Amino acid sequence: MALVFAPQLSGAANQRVVRSRLRFDVRAHFCQNADGLVDSSSARETGDEIRVNRLVRLDRREAATRLDAQHRVDAFVLAEQRALTLITTFEYSMISTWNAFVFLLVVILTLRTRLHRIEEPPHVAWDETHFGKHANFYLNRTFFFDVHPPLGKMLLALAGYVTNYNGSFEFDKPGDQYGDHNYTGMRTFCALIGSTVVPSAYWSVYLLTESVTAAFIASILIIFDTGTLTLSQYILLDPMLMGFIAFSTCSLTFFHRYRNREHWFSISWWFWLAMTGFFLSCAFSVKFVGLFVILLVGFYVIWDLWDLMGDMKNSLTVIGLHFLARATCLIVLPAMIYLAFFAVHFHILNNSGPGDAFFSSAFQSTLKGNELYNSQVPEYVAYGSMITLKNHRSGGGLLHSHYHLYPEDVGVMQQQITAYSHKDENNLFLVKKAEIDLDPDSPVEFVRSGDSIRLEHVATKRNVHSHVAQAPLTVRHFQVTGYGENGTGDANDFWRLEVIDGQMGDLIRTVHSLIRLIHVNVGCALHSHDKQLPKWGWEQLEVTCNPVVRDSNNLWNVEGHVNDKLPKGNVNFFKPSFFQAVIEAHKIMTQVNSNLKPKEGEVTSKPWQWPINYRGQRFSGYLADSFRVYLLGNPVVFWANLSWIVVFCALFSVRAVVLQRGYRESSDVKQYRDRMSFAALFFLLGWFLHYFPFFLMGRVLYFHHYFPAFLYNSMLTGVVVEFVLKSVSKVVTLWSKQRHHETIVYFTLLGLFVALLTQSFTLFSGLSYGMEGPLSDNLNSTMYGLKWMDSWEF
Amino acid sequence: MKEASGKKKSSKKPKEPIEEPSKDAKTDSELSGPPSPSNKPERDERGTTTLQTPPITWQINVNPLLAIVAILSATTRLWRLEDPSEIVFDEVHFGKFVTYYTHGIYFFDVHPPLGKQLLALVAHWTNYDGAFDFDVIGREYDPKRVPYYYMRLFPALAGACVPPLAYQIVALTGASHWSAFLTGILLVFDNAMVTQTRFILLDAWLLVFVALVLYSYAKFKSFCDRPFSVEWSLWLGLLGFFLGCVVSVKLFGFFLFLFLGFHTLADLWRLLGDSATSNSILCKHFALRFVALLLLPLLIFASTFWIEFRLLHKSGPHDAFMSRDFQATLAGSRVLTHPEELPQIGQEYRIAYGSHVTLRRSRAPTSEGECWLHSHAHLYPVRYPDERGSSAQQQVTCYNFRDENNWWAIQRRGTTNVTLDNPPVVVRDGDVVHLVHRTTTRRLNSHNVAAPMTPTNQEVSGYINYGDNVSVPHEEWIVKIVGGGGGGDWTSTTSQVKLVHAHSGQALRMTEKRLPEWGFYQFEVTTNSESPADGTEWIVEEVQFGVRDSNATSAVASPLPRTMSFLSKLYEVVALMVTKNSELVEDHAFSSRPGEWPLAGRTIAYWMSNSTSAQIQLIGNPLLWWTASLSVVGYSALLGFYLLRRRRRKYDVDEDEWRRYVSIGWLFVGGWAMHYLPFFAMGRALFLHHYLPASIFKVLLLPCLLDHVYRLFGFPWWRRVIVGVGCLIGIAVALSFWYFSAFTYGLQTLDGEAILARKWLTTWDFLVRRPDGQLGLLY
């Protein structure tokens, strides 16, 4: 038909314009033609449409009888023009009104559900304690460290700032009453940005399927899911993450809309491409989970470019331009935006704070209030100095010890030496000569490269010691312990100090000198890396003695330095550039992220539990009669979503086999099915990419990680339900031979489905809006009888 | 070995033995038109003799290239196989397993049984009596007591088959015989492949079965234009057979199974699109492949286990891994399963006031096994990490092991008597009792305090026994018999009871959640509403009568082996294998990450001499591994280039060559990825030898790629360059094999300098014996 035939038309300029308009509108016609809503939205239209279709079909049949190619083309153009005038007069406008109406309904429902009881509970719930604190840090401009990129927390701080929250509430622990502090501003902001997932999902589905029903079903599934609702009502990063993920998906579908030749490089085309890139970087800047939507877009782009390449009408130059445009908008632009967020982050946080010790000494010297800021430390290390030693690797900790011993089965049972990422009294070590004890009255003698020294832990008076025994985690290294009584140990406490890139006899400059400590007897070097000790070691980093002396993790620098006999020198520190700071921050984030282990007694979950809604998370309270909020998906929505994935896979495989076997579908059926399966495959891929990577992750996982995947699953369900409803009603019509039955069946089933969802939401909405009174196994509870799975805890 | 390779030749190009029909002289002379050289001189000598029957002769076509590969392969694998005459690396495990087979003792291993059974078969042939103790690496073998040479010989022979098979596979993909020869040479000279197949290990079986699967598949494909012919069916059947063998040697073979599954699906998909294939033919294709590639391997897999269970029928060291039912099938096992045995071993049947009992959770063991109601003199922590308070009373838990602390006395309400009445009064359904913990004399108590792990449930604790006539309602439990016989009497091992807390009406329950460290990781016990909750049913397992000394009667024994259906046994063992496999997470000195493998980044020390620096290391031939990895990159790059060009309708190679290029990618790159990438998702400790199956695929790819490049252009200089590259690779790999062979055979003693010279990568862990005899890593 028009679409199939169009590429054969010759390319006169004016004809092209006509053709493009024609194609767009005629396609719209067919799409809606295939859409049950048009057929059935009013009886008047049905009659009109039959008439239109008959005329169009006649015109085309007539056109197809022309033998001569040029004549045939002309006849087709005429036919399409007539069809266009017939269709556009009422139908297209009608569908737009209908669409706008449904969309408005969806938006109102979303806001109504999301903003309802936003102020409840008036105390800190779940992770609000973290993110609230983070917002405080921004508002107070103190430096902190977190495993997530900064955008989400900066937006929270901004929302707080705009709504007159001044950062003075402690967010100490879950359950703390907010009192007079204005917390609803930040919650409302989160709820609003969390609400955007619904309109975004609506448009994503509508644009890919051109079906209002599908878009409506997808939206209603998300609206009526208690989990998504709960997650978007609190001061968390997830509403923003989901919002930006949905925005990127939506922008991509708009871009997809403009993928025909006549729209290439048009303003809208560029706009949506750039918007996609922008939202991608926003999603990624909130949490690294945003990577998955980048992958989704990446796969789409590869498919798209591959498609463009296959069309021989496109010259290589054009393809190159396409490639460059995508690279610019989807790689360069997002990278710049991401870096810009970090620039803002570093700019805001310019005061020393709890995150200092994660970063290198050089970086710390840029923070106001840090001991290295304006260099309030003596410049050269002398015997009798008390120093802290910082591992030079990005994310390296400070050499640390404490009274606890290594457990029985780990090496020798002596005092632990670890590396610790926080500033602490226990990080201080006293520098002594190897053989001679310190004389407090002797004149100052500086430490020099090549000297043999002892390091005495100031708090416990034990020396840093090593011997040939297996280190606790890195089995090929040797154990490092604290040994001796009151600073007297044995020959295994001697370390030779070497300055890297220096001569023998060089002085040791605070922060500047990179040093290596080599164990005199064993010949190994003091080493620390990113492995965390188990609970007995307080999850601090392991310190070992590495037989490979040249390893880059054997390098340390003096960070803190206390010596009353020495003047506080004016050491000029090398300040790291912005890029170095960003790279350092990322290395530390990766290290901490991969070391995230469950805290004791904490409920963690496995990815397989998520889609079946196996177990939720407690947001607030768990005892009877307290105010309880429980993050749990609406089970009806979750189980429906899961089963529709199965239905889709079955339908898709059956169709694939039938087509491969040589069956040919009529072209409008094919067009409809192709469009629906493209949409479904796209959302299925989105679901897959946001879900399966979690199976490969070693870190601790929680139920709320599933919700981005849930969005895609709901959109998929919308598409498949629409397809099945339509097919079923068509089949019923074939059987009953009465055309109006199609409408009846279609709307009855749709109504039932929506009624089921609404009912399940009214049943379970207590999970989100808060439950009080007895627990669900009590007869008097509002949730009595709703504990369908034993694993649910409400 | 030479005979073996000779036979292969004849089977490859089947030549009928030339038997001259000798009906009469005339036909004879007519037939011998071009006389064969062997006959000719004979006839000349005999001169005019006419009625002479020609001797029976065999003409065997020997492919010298293949013969060279086979001879070299056998030589490298079998040379000085008896050295070192000490236990090397995992021989310590597999040797032990073989010993168990000789005794028929049941053991559990994470690998399926076929490989070990083959080793045991060798041991059986060579009359190994199971008297040698495989206890520690480096222990000297006593050749009289253990035929270790033969136990090494058979895996080594299997390993020696891999290079000739690789030759055939490459030849079957349509590459030239010189490429096939190169493949053979490369595989012959891989140090890792040689080391891994020379000892009593499973990998040799795994590798040879992988090669056989590939060979059968290549053969099968070569007959694909004659579906349902005899050869086609034969090779399909063999393919399924060898697949079954691979899976039965190591569970890892499952990936090969999946890989061929994809190939089969792709083949069938093509058939589906072929309109010339009728539906019935299509069904036949489906059915045959289903039977050969799914049912047959499963059948083989299951039958190896069937043999396993037949062979190993005695109770052994790993019984505790298995369920009670399984243990009961083993002769000499110490589990008790059937109540009718009770009279034999002195257990009483009815429970009277004053009896001492152990209470076991009655449901069939969950994934966590079974557990007994337990208490000990430790208290609940005053505060939990989430700021909730506890009663700080004595802990009551559910414990996985039999223990003195599992004993509870049944006490009449409001008394302190823990001995039997005279005559004994039996506890009946609905009676109210106290349960007194025997070692701490605390009573079982529950109250309105949230349980530690399940805050919606009530805490259960041990509380002070206030003595006579004081009955605290919190300590009263109603015995509610919900299953089993006894006619309302509480009986041991048959009655399932719920213990309902009289005060709150809730039932004693084990929640399947483990307590943290303060509770010694035992299971939590709470009370909860009895209706839906799992884990509220308990069973009395052992009974004593006021006897304080548990040793007197608590011993349980099951003298008779029981039966359990084969399928449930199979299910249990396989499920256990899968879980145990993923639990092997302990960091090992020589474990490595998959990222280090393709470039031979790590080594594993297998053995070291007691006195010198002679050592055996598993080390990939670095030149081979590097070039082969490069070939994967090269292939992918070239494929990308072709695909982009073809998309623009530029066809650089002709269709046949293109199809061959794609098919070697499907087969070798796909196989490599399928056997390599899954490791990235595995959390368990991994070792370099896990990479060997993948490395076979990689090495097969290299010559095929060279072959393709050779055909790309017709210029003679180009072809000479490619041939040169091929020769260079072959020679370099052989030289590097020789250079590292000291680590492969462990015969040559290198000094520190020489070892250091061979340490090309800092991550290789070569050992050196210091002058003081101390062992050290070399840096």
Side-chain angles (χ1 to χ4, degrees), chain A residues 306-307 309-312 314-316 319 473 475-476 535 547-548 600 618 622 656-657 660-661 696 775, chain B residues 269 271-274 277-279 282 386 388 455-456 516-517 521 587 589 643-644 647-649 681 765 779:
Chain A
W306 186 249
D307 209 44
M309 266 196 86
D311 189 346
M312 290 305 282
N314 304 333
S315 71
L316 278 180
I319 295 170
L473 301 177
V475 278
R476 296 188 298 156
K535 217 158 45 187
V548 184
E600 196 177 327
R618 293 199 190 97
Y622 40 78
V657 168
Q660 176 76 3
R661 209 52 205 135
L696 309 181
L775 296 174
Chain B
W269 187 250
L271 278 175
L272 261 180
D274 180 6
T277 325
S278 75
N279 283 346
L282 206 57
D386 55 4
R388 266 185 310 124
T456 53
E517 196 178 4
Y521 304 107
D587 204 11
L643 280 176
L644 288 177
R647 191 74 185 154
R648 298 300 293 173
R649 317 278 192 277
D765 299 315
Y779 297 102

Side-chain angles (χ1 to χ4, degrees), chain A residues 777, chain B residues 456-457 498 505-507 509 527-534 536:
Chain A
D777 37 20
Chain B
T456 53
N457 290 2
K498 288 189 174 192
Q506 300 196 330
R509 174 188 180 213
T527 59
N528 194 12
S529 65
E530 58 176 298
S531 46
D534 236 6
T536 56

Side-chain angles (χ1 to χ4, degrees), chain B residues 32-40 43:
Chain B
S32 55
S36 68
S38 57
N39 287 349
K40 204 176 176 184
R43 203 171 289 135

Side-chain angles (χ1 to χ4, degrees), chain B residues 416-558:
Chain B
T416 49
N417 188 15
V418 287
T419 51
L420 285 188
D421 302 324
N422 193 14
V425 181
V426 174
V427 183
R428 294 188 55 81
D429 185 18
D431 283 2
V432 179
V433 300
H434 297 304
L435 288 156
V436 183
H437 187 241
R438 192 164 74 182
T439 39
T440 62
T441 69
R442 299 282 169 120
R443 274 182 181 163
L444 190 71
N445 170 59
S446 176
H447 43 212
N448 190 12
V449 173
M453 310 305 291
T454 320
T456 53
N457 290 2
Q458 281 192 23
E459 184 189 84
V460 172
S461 64
Y463 196 55
I464 300 161
N465 185 353
Y466 281 111
D468 259 344
N469 304 323
V470 180
S471 179
V472 184
H474 284 127
E475 298 173 352
E476 290 175 358
W477 300 86
I478 306 165
V479 178
K480 203 168 160 187
I481 297 172
V482 291
D489 288 351
W490 189 6
T491 54
S492 63
T493 68
T494 50
S495 293
Q496 290 171 359
V497 296
K498 288 189 174 192
L499 292 167
V500 180
H501 189 233
H503 183 253
S504 63
Q506 300 196 330
L508 190 72
R509 174 188 180 213
M510 173 263 189
T511 58
E512 294 193 31
K513 289 179 192 161
R514 283 195 189 268
L515 297 171
E517 196 178 4
W518 54 257
F520 308 98
Y521 304 107
Q522 296 169 7
F523 289 103
E524 181 195 41
V525 169
T526 66
T527 59
N528 194 12
S529 65
E530 58 176 298
S531 46
D534 236 6
T536 56
E537 290 173 10
W538 300 83
I539 214 164
V540 169
E541 190 178 73
E542 295 163 277
V543 192
Q544 296 170 1
F545 300 103
V547 188
R548 282 277 167 163
D549 178 14
S550 65
N551 297 332
T553 53
S554 70
V556 283
S558 161

